[in-house]
Amino acid sequence: MDALKSGSDVFFVLIGAILVFAMHAGFAFLEVGTVRKKNQVNALVKIITDFAVSTLAYFFIGYTVAYGVSFLGSARDISGGAEGFAANGFTLVKFFFLMTFAAAVPAIISGGIAERAKFNPQLIATALFVGLVYPFFEGMVWGDRLGFQAVMTNLFGAPFHDFAGSIVVHAMGGWLALGAVILLGARQGHYKPNGAVVGIPPSNIPFLALGSWILCIGWFGFNVMSAQDVAGASGLVAVNSLLAMVGGILSAFIVGRNDPGFVHNGALAGLVAICAGSDIMHPLGALVTGAIAGVIFVKAYLYTQNKLKIDDVLGVWPLHGLCGLWGGIAAGIFGLETLWGLGGVSIAAQVTGSLLGATIGGLFGFIIYGGLKKWVGIRLSQEDEFTGADLSIHKISAYPEDDYGPR
């Protein structure tokens, strides 16, 4: 029976890892559909290469920073004795699952810096974020680093609750991206000298929609499999994720006046927000959480673009940074028993933990991108940006046959 249970848990977490891995295709196509044609190849290559760098950074450094588990040693030495390879290799598949979460951070950032960021400096940033910054906070919330959760419990009567990463993954990624977007500056021609906004329409709505659909499907692995064993699998998490997604779609549809970009990102806004409290909210609370997130995304995206003049191409700071922040706080509201939740949460702990995650992300975003900007530069030259990242970096366009005309 022990072998059956361990094998079932490995398979359960493996399927979750595969689903979250597939979400990176969603990140890629969401970006491909949003950027101009001259930057589509760059979006695809950047996200898959970021994934490769993330894997190595998390394998060699990040997982150890977060949980104290090292894979540097013989099979029988990993994690003390043979723990790494015992129980059907559960420690290894858990690493795979959590690594796909970590790799989502640079995938999130990618959408904000699209169309004008240098390639190699971004890989350096990815290694630093996934190897050090992200796992540092991950270990505080999902591990026992710095005794953070014990402090939260002592201060507020409950630990900081983030079941599937509204703060740990999404807010962290969104607030890290904010530093990059501000330090990079706006794309050429997006704002006139008088401050007027020049719209840059998406290149391919079907690709944008495909990216959203892939992310939505993979998200059920992201949330449900965060239980990390079969015994913890919960239909409540699945239904809450579904209703939050629907709430985000409909509110973004209404507030965004049926704009397809807002509608498809509204689904993601709801899913970002529900991650933290998906295991403790009543489905009606999840619906409200998602609906509010859809409004936050639309309003914040328009405000940052039109008023603050922050050119966040895919709106990753509003989507992941702000909706993630809302999700962490919402878990402390709709998780309360008085609002039909399962309880065990404190609104004070949720606000404190959520703001701490955003602060760490925002601070290190400016520090790391600021250092890279001074050291090697982070933005393409004006000529390369005008030509497009596809030809200037990868020496090929997304539609190479069209470049040569009929033959």
Side-chain angles (χ1 to χ4, degrees):
M1 290 301 292
D2 288 343
L4 177 62
K5 180 185 184 306
S6 63
S8 299
D9 288 343
V10 166
F11 187 69
F12 178 76
V13 176
L14 175 61
I15 294 301
I18 292 169
L19 285 168
V20 182
F21 180 26
M23 289 175 70
H24 288 74
F27 284 120
F29 277 94
L30 190 73
E31 184 172 336
V32 167
T34 304
V35 301
R36 288 166 288 188
K37 288 183 179 180
K38 62 182 180 179
N39 296 299
Q40 290 179 330
V41 171
N42 181 248
L44 295 169
V45 177
K46 180 172 50 175
I47 287 179
I48 198 169
T49 308
D50 271 340
F51 187 88
V53 171
S54 296
T55 301
L56 294 182
Y58 200 67
F59 182 83
F60 286 108
I61 303 172
Y63 197 60
T64 305
V65 171
Y67 302 106
V69 176
S70 173
F71 296 122
L72 301 180
S74 70
R76 294 193 176 280
D77 290 336
I78 291 175
S79 306
E83 181 183 338
F85 289 111
N88 300 88
F90 181 78
T91 297
L92 295 173
V93 79
K94 179 181 177 182
F95 153 78
F96 181 19
F97 180 65
L98 292 173
M99 181 278 297
T100 59
F101 279 56
V105 171
I108 289 167
I109 296 169
S110 177
I113 65 176
E115 302 203 294
R116 75 272 201 210
K118 286 184 176 180
F119 196 87
N120 291 335
Q122 176 55 25
L123 296 183
I124 296 172
T126 291
L128 292 172
F129 291 147
V130 178
L132 297 172
V133 179
Y134 168 82
F136 171 74
F137 188 65
E138 175 192 14
M140 290 171 58
V141 177
W142 291 340
D144 57 6
R145 292 303 189 196
L146 302 182
F148 172 71
Q149 291 291 26
V151 171
M152 289 291 100
T153 302
N154 289 335
L155 287 176
F156 306 116
F160 173 61
H161 189 91
D162 190 3
F163 179 70
S166 287
I167 302 298
V168 173
V169 180
H170 296 287
M172 179 63 65
W175 285 86
L176 285 169
L178 180 64
V181 169
I182 291 176
L183 290 170
L184 272 171
R187 290 168 289 175
Q188 292 180 29
H190 188 39
Y191 298 108
K192 293 182 178 180
N194 65 0
V197 180
V198 178
I200 301 177
S203 62
N204 193 309
I205 297 297
F207 276 167
L208 186 158
L210 176 64
S212 176
W213 275 103
I214 294 172
L215 284 165
C216 287
I217 292 168
W219 223 297
F220 288 87
F222 195 101
N223 284 1
V224 175
M225 272 71 169
S226 284
Q228 297 185 31
D229 59 47
V230 173
S234 170
L236 176 66
V237 175
V239 171
N240 280 347
S241 301
L242 176 67
L243 287 177
M245 180 189 75
V246 169
I249 292 170
L250 294 177
S251 65
F253 165 77
I254 295 168
V255 179
R257 299 181 181 181
N258 203 14
D259 179 280
F262 287 144
V263 170
H264 286 93
N265 278 286
L268 309 182
L271 286 163
V272 164
I274 196 57
C275 287
S278 56
D279 63 325
I280 57 172
M281 289 187 190
H282 187 281
L284 291 178
L287 180 64
V288 174
T289 296
I292 293 174
V295 175
I296 289 173
F297 171 70
V298 174
K299 295 293 187 180
Y301 178 83
L302 292 173
Y303 186 76
T304 54
Q305 290 284 337
N306 299 334
K307 300 296 183 181
L308 299 181
K309 304 295 188 293
I310 296 175
D311 188 13
D312 181 348
V313 181
L314 267 68
V316 298
W317 180 63
L319 179 62
H320 298 275
L322 296 183
C323 291
L325 187 62
W326 157 240
I329 296 170
I333 299 172
F334 295 106
L336 296 172
E337 291 185 40
T338 52
L339 291 176
W340 298 353
L342 296 181
V345 290
S346 160
I347 183 63
Q350 293 307 115
V351 171
T352 301
S354 298
L355 291 177
L356 179 62
T359 300
I360 291 173
L363 179 64
F364 279 96
F366 278 99
I367 289 174
I368 290 177
Y369 281 110
L372 288 170
K373 182 176 182 178
K374 185 175 182 179
W375 178 36
V376 293
I378 57 176
R379 181 162 181 155
L380 293 173
S381 68
Q382 288 188 350
E383 181 179 354
D384 286 347
E385 184 181 344
F386 179 80
T387 302
D390 292 359
L391 292 177
S392 63
I393 297 175
H394 309 287
K395 312 305 179 187
I396 192 169
S397 73
Y399 309 93
E401 189 175 26
D402 295 345
D403 296 341
Y404 298 99
R407 287 181 286 176

